[in-house]
Amino acid sequence: MGARGSLARQLLVWQLVVVTCLLCAVGVLAVVQAGSNFRTTEGRRALSVAESVAAQGVVGDLENGPFELNAPAETARSLSGVDFVVIAGADRSVLASPDPGQLRTRLDIGESTVLLGRSWVGELDGSIVAHVPVLDEKGGKVVRMVAAGSKSPGFFAGVLDSPDNALRVLGVALVIGVSGSLLLARRVKNQTLGLEPHEITALVENREALLHGIKEGVVGLDPQHRITLVNDQARELLALPDDAVGRSVEDLDLNERIRDLLTGRATGADQIVLRQGKVLTLNRMPIDVRGAVVTLRDRTDLMTLRDELDASRHATDTLRAQAHEFSNRLHTISGLLELGEYDEVRGYVSRISSAQGEWRAEVGSRIGDPAVAALLIAKASLAAERGVGLRMAPDSELDRAEEGLSTDLVTVLGNLVDNALDALGGERGWIEVGVWQEEDEVRVEVRDSGPGVAPEIAEEVFEHGFTTKAAAHGQRGLGLALIRQACVRRGGSVEVHNSGGAVFTARLPR
């Protein structure tokens, strides 16, 4: 715990300070109230005493001097319990007083209305005083006055006069306050899982360092799908605004696929989404009733590496197909030679050379980019092995492209042809490839004789980035994700429609 003390102890100390301040405030109010009650009670008693003395005939007889007046004044004082009863003349000279030194002096009446013939009660020189006039027989002239009163108690005198009640009230309040403080400290400690303030601070600092230090994106969501936390990587991957924290997922500029995964409407591990040309993998982990945590990873580099591996695999498959095709032709030639069909051998070799030469000549005359031309020549052998005819659109034309565009064209064409082969599903058919060079872009179109793409997923196949059951044949989704990534990265687009089969059109700005 150290010198700072535990959280429960600090809370208890502060609560006790608050309780003490409240008790002091209550005590002050009690003292003030007691003083107010004392002034009211003593003022009434003093007025009653003064009126009783003023009503005695001996006081109103002007023939009576101090000796005759002192007896009724002292009797009234001793019987009533007031501190003093003073009788003065109309000129305010004191005629009777418990203090002999006050005789013949002038009585201080302050703002009293006694000389006007009206009784008065108030505070004067620290005492609660009542002044009552003594009128002549006609009742119109003040001949004498009677003052009775008691000294005001000290600040705590009212409390000390009844210490049992005061201590009882303060004790009950103290017990309630301390008990409440202990319960509050215990509850707060339970809610903080027993962590002390410095431990909570360290935990928050470590969490911030962890969230902003990892390469994976992390997004926290509450049960209402509002973002509660987001680290720098997630903000960059999802292109979130600076004020994303506290906003609902539905209010952010995200595509429907990402919103479904963040809110839990779509489930599954390692779900692939596309966001501004990047291929992302999302995983959502619900946290009881507190919401969920979503982690994101950038798979763009991984997809690029996979594309390169696929290119190597496709090259190997093409070489294998060519070797297989070459082996079959050699077996055919060998058989014809053994049968002595020399003329047939010459015709067979001529036909093979003519067919291969025509395709190479067509590709070479229309496609000026060596990488794209080599890809189409290699894909022809792979298609022939599967019983699929590969042909080129009659008006296709492409000059040598710059290095970056050439690489993207190979990626787009290779994946589109592979997707078309998968769509045919091993059945005989045809694939037509068209490449057109325009002023500011290159347009690629690949159509096949397959079943086409279901209209309801024509856009979804690109957004999801993975195959669906409605896609029917093969793993088409990752290839399409790479195609779209290449197009979007260059500021282009890719789309699909059906026309006797699937027709994919990709546009890549130069």
Side-chain angles (χ1 to χ4, degrees), residues 26-66:
V26 170
V28 170
L29 290 175
V31 170
V32 172
Q33 185 64 36
S36 177
N37 293 337
F38 175 82
R39 286 190 295 272
T40 301
T41 303
E42 290 300 317
R44 291 175 180 175
R45 183 169 64 168
L47 180 61
S48 176
V49 172
E51 289 177 344
S52 65
V53 173
Q56 297 182 33
V58 67
V59 176
D61 189 355
L62 297 179
E63 298 295 331
N64 295 324

Side-chain angles (χ1 to χ4, degrees), residues 372-405:
V372 177
L375 173 70
L376 292 176
I377 293 173
K379 291 297 183 182
S381 299
L382 185 61
E385 183 186 27
R386 299 190 185 184
V388 177
L390 181 63
R391 68 193 188 200
M392 183 171 292
D395 54 346
S396 295
E397 183 179 0
L398 176 68
D399 294 336
R400 176 186 283 271
E402 60 268 22
E403 182 178 353
L405 178 58

Side-chain angles (χ1 to χ4, degrees), residues 167-290:
L167 292 177
R168 189 180 299 111
V169 172
L170 293 177
V172 171
L174 181 61
V175 170
I176 294 175
V178 172
S179 301
S181 300
L182 291 173
L183 292 176
L184 179 61
R186 181 177 179 182
R187 177 176 176 81
V188 171
K189 189 167 185 177
N190 289 337
Q191 289 181 336
T192 58
L193 304 179
L195 297 176
E196 302 302 334
H198 64 282
E199 294 175 330
I200 296 175
T201 302
L203 184 62
V204 172
E205 292 174 349
N206 292 336
R207 191 201 72 164
E208 291 299 316
L210 178 64
L211 285 177
H212 297 288
I214 61 178
K215 293 184 178 181
E216 286 75 15
V218 179
V219 178
L221 300 165
D222 65 10
Q224 287 72 41
H225 309 312
R226 292 189 297 262
I227 295 180
T228 57
L229 65 90
V230 57
N231 67 349
D232 297 337
Q233 187 70 5
R235 195 185 299 275
E236 179 181 354
L237 292 177
L238 293 177
L240 296 176
D242 295 336
D243 60 346
V245 176
R247 296 177 61 182
S248 173
V249 172
E250 303 294 340
D251 298 335
L252 298 175
D253 184 20
L254 301 172
N255 61 52
E256 184 178 357
R257 171 66 175 170
I258 296 179
R259 286 199 297 266
D260 288 345
L261 287 172
L262 291 178
T263 58
R265 291 193 293 265
T267 59
D270 294 331
Q271 296 294 302
I272 295 177
V273 298
L274 297 176
R275 178 65 172 169
Q276 295 191 345
K278 295 181 180 180
V279 181
L280 308 179
T281 301
L282 270 69
N283 283 282
R284 186 178 189 274
M285 177 65 68
I287 307 177
D288 298 331
V289 295
R290 294 180 177 88

Side-chain angles (χ1 to χ4, degrees), residues 107-138:
L107 179 66
D108 184 11
I109 61 173
E111 298 178 355
S112 175
T113 60
V114 65
L115 293 178
L116 300 177
R118 295 194 300 270
S119 299
W120 177 83
V121 179
E123 190 168 356
L124 190 64
D125 294 334
S127 300
I128 305 299
V129 181
H131 292 165
V132 176
V134 179
L135 304 178
D136 58 9
E137 294 180 355
K138 296 180 180 180

Side-chain angles (χ1 to χ4, degrees), residues 325 329 347-363 380 390:
E325 183 181 11
R329 291 172 179 175
Y348 180 71
V349 172
S350 177
R351 291 193 300 273
I352 293 174
S353 299
S354 176
Q356 291 181 339
E358 289 176 1
W359 176 248
R360 291 191 181 95
E362 182 180 11
V363 172
L390 181 63

